[in-house]
Amino acid sequence: MAGVQTAVALRERGYDGPVTLIGAERHQPYDRPPLSKAVLLGTAESSAFDVDFEALSVELRLGLDVTGVRPRDRELDTEAGPVPYDVLVLATGAEPVTLPGADGVPGVHLLRTLDDAARLRPVLDGKRHIVVVGAGWIGAEFTTAAREADCEVTVVEAADRPFAGALPAEVATPMAHWYAESGAELLTHARVASVEPGTVTLTDGRALAADAVVVGIGARPATAWLAGSGIATGPEGAVTADDRLRASLPGVYAVGDCASFPSARYGERLMVHHWDNALQGPRTVAADIVGESHEPYDPVPYFWSEQFGRFVQYAGHHARADTLLWRGDPASAAWAVLWLRDGALVALLSVGRPRDLAQGRKLVAAGARIDTERAVDPAVPLKLTAL
């Protein structure tokens, strides 16, 4: 997404120089969200972007691994030899974290690429017993698809609740019931000791039958290949871009999952591994490359997830919030949570309440202060709660 949108945005802003888009995968550039939904279930063969690269005069070099970069020479090292550049945009995304001890074990899968989804589709078609490691967003979406395909699913989560790394306990705990409703079994406080063909053994000695194992325990920026380049990265591996998404060396930008950026809105550096960030960031990059004046990059982070028959959306960043408000009952089909800091809305999560999300996202962007008494009434439109 980030690489394709950067190329498109450059042409939209009148850039007429050569543009080359390099990717390690051999497939035409594609969108990732459908991989855990339509592509996985076989209702769509691919999710290729509807972009005419030839008409845009964008050269695609697919199936080409980039192994390093030499900024002093302004060259990339690739399997096919050096590739020169005037401006380099890093849009390498993130790579899934693997399960220790599971590399090379037959039947262990990740879900990040089109090839991953293709390998998993026959597993679902066979209505197998699947163990999912990790009850985060990918784990929930895959479990949803697997249950739709009538597979037996056991989800293993090391924490005491799903979404432990993303949401506070009081919000995530009610969401644990979604697994049982779907017919999946969720095991919390459960850690994997070993994986062998057909069996996942937990540290407490339990052995789980597993025709397949799907690992969804997080992702890290795909930046290891930058080692020794002088391009600065943070402790989590993300390229430390500035508020124009410029990296630490001249002529180098970073956008999407592989980058972090300073947020004046939230007073900290953010690393956002979501589709919307990969859509918005390229506009800032392209504007800076062509010399257009533009606002600093400081979006309201946004993502969505379709799971267990629910449409879950989140906007903002709640890490430093001091107040949490509920709009509706989390046991119901539709509810929302608001996070405030010093009376201003900084983030919200909506389940089946897309209007709340749309209105709340605008309030977060405006830094609006909220009438808390009105905000907890789900019958009051959220936009009418601003003071």
Side-chain angles (χ1 to χ4, degrees):
M1 169 63 83
V4 167
Q5 291 300 324
T6 299
V8 170
L10 282 167
R11 292 304 189 217
E12 289 177 344
R13 282 163 172 75
Y15 182 80
D16 59 5
V19 175
T20 303
L21 190 59
I22 300 175
E25 294 183 68
R26 297 184 180 278
H27 304 289
Q28 284 289 114
Y30 60 87
D31 207 6
R32 293 191 189 277
L35 297 185
S36 60
K37 305 173 185 71
V39 173
L40 185 61
L41 289 170
T43 57
E45 288 301 316
S46 74
S47 55
F49 290 113
D50 185 18
V51 175
D52 189 335
F53 293 102
E54 185 175 353
L56 289 174
S57 297
V58 171
E59 180 186 4
L60 288 182
R61 300 193 64 178
L62 304 177
L64 181 61
D65 270 321
V66 178
T67 57
V69 57
R70 288 174 284 112
R72 182 175 298 178
D73 300 325
R74 299 222 169 186
E75 284 187 338
L76 295 171
D77 292 321
T78 78
E79 297 173 318
V83 175
Y85 67 84
D86 295 311
V87 175
L88 174 63
V89 179
L90 304 172
T92 49
E95 54 194 6
V97 176
T98 58
L99 185 65
D103 287 348
V105 177
V108 177
H109 299 264
L110 300 168
L111 181 52
R112 183 73 182 184
T113 69
L114 187 59
D115 288 336
D116 291 338
R119 284 188 287 267
L120 274 166
R121 191 184 299 174
V123 174
L124 267 61
D125 290 343
K127 306 193 185 309
R128 308 293 182 81
H129 191 147
I130 303 170
V131 171
V132 177
V133 182
W137 304 110
I138 287 295
E141 291 184 358
F142 176 81
T143 298
T144 300
R147 288 301 300 142
E148 288 182 23
D150 292 327
C151 295
E152 293 184 57
V153 183
T154 302
V155 182
V156 176
E157 171 56 51
D160 62 347
R161 62 189 187 275
F163 313 113
L167 297 171
E170 59 196 304
V171 176
T173 298
M175 300 163 80
H177 301 297
W178 299 355
Y179 287 81
E181 288 177 8
S182 76
E185 182 180 15
L186 172 62
L187 305 179
T188 56
H189 297 289
R191 294 183 177 274
V192 175
S194 65
V195 179
E196 299 174 358
T199 306
V200 174
T201 302
L202 305 182
T203 54
D204 63 6
R206 282 179 290 179
L208 308 177
D211 296 312
V213 179
V214 177
V215 179
I217 55 176
R220 61 170 65 93
T223 57
W225 65 283
L226 296 175
S229 68
I231 297 172
T233 58
E236 72 294 307
V239 177
T240 49
D242 67 8
D243 61 7
R244 266 69 175 176
L245 298 180
R246 297 173 296 200
S248 60
L249 296 182
V252 181
Y253 295 79
V255 64
D257 290 3
C258 72
S260 68
F261 57 90
S263 171
R265 185 190 315 280
Y266 293 106
E268 61 183 287
R269 179 169 286 275
L270 299 182
M271 183 176 65
V272 181
H273 281 189
H274 294 298
W275 184 93
D276 189 66
N277 181 49
L279 174 68
Q280 295 195 59
R283 300 166 186 163
T284 293
V285 171
D288 202 75
I289 289 173
V290 302
E292 290 182 4
S293 61
H294 57 93
E295 294 295 318
Y297 187 65
D298 196 6
V300 175
Y302 166 74
F303 76 91
W304 80 95
S305 176
E306 295 176 76
Q307 53 185 265
F308 307 114
R310 295 165 171 88
F311 187 41
V312 182
Q313 295 173 283
Y314 177 95
H317 181 64
H318 68 266
R320 298 186 180 183
D322 53 37
T323 303
L324 186 150
L325 303 175
W326 289 90
R327 280 171 63 82
D329 181 354
S332 67
W335 50 275
V337 172
L338 312 179
W339 285 274
L340 280 60
R341 185 180 183 191
D342 297 329
L345 184 65
V346 294
L348 72 156
L349 173 80
S350 81
V351 177
R353 292 182 64 91
R355 187 168 298 176
D356 273 3
L357 193 289
Q359 295 177 7
R361 192 178 181 185
K362 293 178 181 178
L363 295 176
V364 173
R369 294 176 62 81
I370 299 298
D371 182 331
T372 57
E373 291 187 8
R374 291 173 61 78
V376 297
D377 183 351
V380 176
L382 196 52
K383 64 182 180 181
L384 299 183
T385 68
L387 295 173

